Amino acid sequence: MTKMALGTHPFLLGFEQLERLVERTAKTGNDGYPPYNIEQTSETSYRITLAVAGFAEDDLAITLEDNQLVVRGRQTDDMGERVFLHRGIAGRQFQKSFVLADGVDVGEAVMENGLLHVDLNRAVPESVVQTIAIKKG
């Protein structure tokens, strides 16, 4: 039995990009840091919340690159004068990626109590019915 790729199934015409999207999603390099939540806040909206304790707004960058939401964090190195007896709070740089479906727009991003909230909104497409004329051959 031969394995059929998702994009080559005869009923999925025009979905070749879906397989590439799945591959890209698997390669995003998310290692679990920082921890995050994804919640559905309404029928058409979502919220991604990242735990970014110790990061200031200027230490974070949010970009949208080809339907891929990328959140990057890099703290400035001010450790010269500080002496830690124990260091349990991670302060390393990170990059977290989320692939967004077509029609999902990024709303606002808000920092609150060490949490970065990024709101997403999905546009509801109108239902379109089109009649195709049949020509005589």
Side-chain angles (χ1 to χ4, degrees):
M1 184 172 165
T2 61
K3 183 177 179 182
M4 185 179 293
L6 180 65
T8 60
H9 192 279
F11 297 131
L12 297 175
L13 301 175
F15 284 90
E16 296 82 12
Q17 78 221 18
L18 186 60
E19 193 164 7
R20 288 190 299 273
L21 178 66
V22 171
E23 289 174 6
R24 188 174 79 180
T25 303
K27 295 178 186 176
T28 56
N30 292 331
D31 64 353
Y33 178 78
Y36 65 94
N37 292 337
I38 300 175
E39 61 183 300
Q40 185 170 2
T41 55
S42 77
E43 285 283 323
T44 60
S45 62
Y46 308 92
R47 173 173 269 189
I48 299 172
T49 302
L50 291 94
V52 291
F55 287 85
E57 289 89 347
D58 292 339
D59 298 333
L60 301 169
I62 304 170
T63 58
L64 186 60
E65 305 165 7
D66 297 326
N67 285 0
Q68 187 165 339
L69 177 69
V70 180
V71 181
R72 294 179 178 93
R74 167 174 257 157
Q75 289 181 319
T76 56
D77 189 17
D78 64 347
M79 302 300 162
E81 301 176 14
R82 300 170 76 180
V83 177
F84 291 95
L85 300 178
H86 171 75
R87 186 163 184 189
I89 300 173
R92 65 181 191 239
Q93 67 182 17
F94 69 88
Q95 177 174 313
K96 187 70 76 175
S97 300
F98 304 90
V99 177
L100 305 181
D102 288 337
V104 174
D105 298 318
V106 179
E108 66 178 359
V110 178
M111 278 283 282
E112 178 183 38
N113 300 325
L115 299 174
L116 174 64
H117 303 288
V118 180
D119 291 325
L120 308 172
N121 301 303
R122 180 174 43 90
V124 179
E126 293 182 26
S127 179
V128 177
V129 176
Q130 183 177 4
T131 302
I132 310 300
I134 302 172
K135 294 181 182 180
K136 292 183 180 181

